[in-house]
Amino acid sequence: MSRPSDHIESEDSPVKDPVGLGISGYLRWFWRQLTSMRVAIILLLLLAVAAIPGSILPQRSSDPNGVVEYSRANPELFEFLDAFPIQGFDVYSSVWFSSIYLLLFVSLIGCVIPRIKHHWTAMRSRPPRTPVRLRRMAGYLETELLNEAASLEDATAMAKDVTLSAQTILKKQHYRTEIYHRGNEWSVSAERGYLRETGNLLFHAALLGVLVAMGFGGGYGYQGQKLLLEGETGVNSLIDYDSFNPGRFFDDASLDPFGIRLDSFDVKYVEPGTQNNTALGQAIDYTAHVTVTETDGTQRQDTVKVNHPLRLYGTNVYLLGNGYAPKITVKNAEGAVVFEEAVPFMPQDTNLSSLGIIKIPYGLGEQVGMIGFIYPTQVELESGAYASNYPDLINPVLTLEVYSGDLGINDGIPRSVYALDTDEMTKIAGRDVEGTPTLEIRPGETTELPNGMGTVTLDAIPRFVSFDLHHNPGQIWVLIFAILATLGLLSSLFIPRRRVWVKVIPREGGIRIEYAALARGDDPTLDGAVAALAEKHRVAIE
């Protein structure tokens, strides 16, 4: 409303906020919005959308090698995505993801607690009084019980008995009931379906429990990767992991001292003529046979398969990957062994054509690096290049390109064992090297290194297996709360919330009985429920 044109503002008049809320009012408004069910659902959807980048981009917490490879392949894009506030490679610990997570946490608390209090009060209160005009209800039915000889006093006494009879029927149907008496009218008010709201609250409280359990599990859990060759043993200690990602509150003293030895690794492939509808060479089954050393020193045999992890002291051991690790022996010109090791080669395709790096810093007069490819079943393409057309060791060949120079390991900068920096090195054997082609070796063979450096021998080609160990102390609680959330959701969807009234009005010559019901929300069975109640009541009266 506008003020009069002659109004004069007093100098002593306080200046008020144009909206009239003030700071405390804005805070209350913000809290009401944050704790509304609508905002909680929006935040839950935002959390699901925010998790999408974490499934697209490699994460430091789960795939550190993938992050390194991404940075090499896309250096400019990597710098942009990794910068604050995007934090694309640390999505689940980023500021924006944590903000959504915490806001959802606060929203659920502020939404659930007041509703629990209100629901508890409602469950302990009496059913509401019977409305005066039941004809206005969605479900309504009226009948009369006539007795021309009955006086008003007789009809009033009959009305009480009929009302008590209706109360008995409703109690058997698990209604909470209350008898009301107004004038000469008797009525019973009944309601049921509070389990619907109980389930709704259970669902939201369970969601809150899932968030707490996930936070607890992520804070006190860990994830580590370990690569084992056939015959090797790995122990559950920090120094034995190839990569290790602990939670924020993780304590290394909590690691259970168990060990795993890889005894053998079996792979079943599709062989020619066995399954025509499946690609030749496709893996059918992976099985890692292991010996587990318990914390008390006892040993037992077990297996690890894809989607069937080994469970040890709350830690799941998953079969992550596999490949070949050629065992190579290098001797110098005097015949002394300067390198003898099985080197894991990383698979490059489904037929396990694999790439590996060999670094020999000492013993050959200068530092030597080799880039090797192993072809399990070697074939020659029309271009002259080698490839593998089957993943098993049918016709294995190892090729090596040899470099000499500076490996870059003397400056104290960490170097990847799966990459060779050739900027400060010279290729002395391989393609484009006149007179010294790429070295080719088969199992058991020995070939000469260039420039009289020595010899290299391919002793054997064992398998390696990469295990992923995942320990999450909140995992079982996440499952429990997820089951509770499902039960709560089902009860909130399928249990109807309903109020029923039966009013008995005495008069001379009989009584009139009114049945009415009201549902909270859509209830297509309401009219049928009223009719069934009237029929049962009629039978009970007779």
Side-chain angles (χ1 to χ4, degrees), residues 54-267:
S55 62
I56 297 176
L57 298 173
Q59 300 297 297
R60 286 190 176 92
S61 60
S62 59
D63 188 12
N65 292 330
V67 176
V68 173
E69 293 177 2
Y70 192 96
S71 66
R72 289 175 179 168
N74 309 278
E76 295 182 359
L77 182 60
F78 175 83
E79 185 176 353
F80 171 75
L81 293 175
D82 196 41
F84 180 85
I86 299 179
Q87 299 173 285
F89 303 95
D90 298 286
V91 167
Y92 305 114
S93 59
S94 63
V95 173
W96 53 273
F97 189 88
S98 300
S99 299
I100 298 174
Y101 187 92
L102 291 175
L103 283 175
L104 177 60
F105 190 80
V106 173
S107 178
L108 287 175
I109 292 177
C111 179
V112 170
I113 292 179
R115 289 180 62 185
I116 290 177
K117 181 180 178 181
H118 176 76
H119 182 57
W120 176 254
T121 302
M123 289 183 64
R124 293 170 60 86
S125 62
R126 300 168 60 191
R129 284 187 169 274
T130 306
V132 176
R133 298 177 180 86
L134 293 180
R135 287 186 176 89
R136 296 180 177 180
M137 300 301 168
Y140 178 78
L141 188 63
E142 180 181 317
T143 184
E144 291 185 346
L145 185 62
L146 300 178
N147 184 357
E148 296 180 359
S151 63
L152 182 60
E153 291 77 9
D154 296 335
T156 301
M158 185 188 304
K160 182 178 180 181
D161 295 336
V162 170
T163 303
L164 292 175
S165 175
Q167 183 185 35
T168 301
I169 295 173
L170 290 170
K171 281 186 174 182
K172 290 181 179 179
Q173 296 178 357
H174 306 291
Y175 281 89
R176 297 169 59 241
T177 63
E178 187 72 26
I179 296 291
Y180 290 104
H181 183 212
R182 180 188 295 139
N184 62 347
E185 295 179 356
W186 288 85
S187 65
V188 56
S189 177
E191 61 180 352
R192 75 175 183 186
Y194 276 98
L195 282 178
R196 182 188 185 97
E197 178 65 13
T198 302
N200 196 2
L201 291 174
L202 178 62
F203 171 74
H204 291 92
L207 283 183
L208 187 62
V210 168
L211 293 177
V212 173
M214 290 177 61
F216 176 80
Y220 288 93
Y222 65 84
Q223 185 176 10
Q225 290 77 37
K226 178 62 180 176
L227 187 147
L228 292 179
L229 304 177
E230 289 178 319
E232 280 190 342
T233 300
V235 296
N236 190 33
S237 64
L238 288 179
I239 61 173
D240 206 43
Y241 280 99
D242 297 322
S243 63
F244 191 82
N245 301 288
R248 182 169 299 180
F249 310 109
F250 171 76
D251 182 7
D252 57 0
S254 63
L255 289 173
D256 295 293
F258 60 81
I260 301 174
R261 184 179 72 240
L262 177 62
D263 298 323
S264 62
F265 183 68
D266 297 335
V267 185

Side-chain angles (χ1 to χ4, degrees), residues 331-354:
K331 297 180 181 180
N332 60 18
E334 289 76 25
V337 176
V338 296
F339 182 89
E340 186 178 16
E341 189 174 331
V343 182
F345 277 42
M346 295 298 103
Q348 305 297 303
D349 56 35
T350 56
N351 287 319
L352 294 187
S353 298
S354 305

Side-chain angles (χ1 to χ4, degrees), residues 72 355-359 367-372 401-409 415-416 418-429:
R72 289 175 179 168
L355 168 66
I357 303 298
I358 303 168
K359 298 180 181 181
Q367 294 182 349
V368 173
M370 303 181 190
I371 300 177
E401 291 187 341
V402 185
Y403 293 80
S404 64
D406 184 10
L407 290 173
I409 60 176
R415 303 286 181 176
S416 173
Y418 300 109
L420 180 65
D421 186 359
T422 60
D423 293 342
E424 302 296 329
M425 305 190 77
T426 302
K427 183 187 288 188
I428 59 177

Side-chain angles (χ1 to χ4, degrees), residues 79 132 151 155 157 228 249 281 302 357 382 454 460 467 472 491 507 512 538:
E79 185 176 353
V132 176
S151 63
L228 292 179
F249 310 109
D302 214 322
I357 303 298
E382 293 182 359
F467 292 105
N472 187 343
S491 63
R507 63 182 181 180
R512 186 174 82 248
R538 182 189 65 80

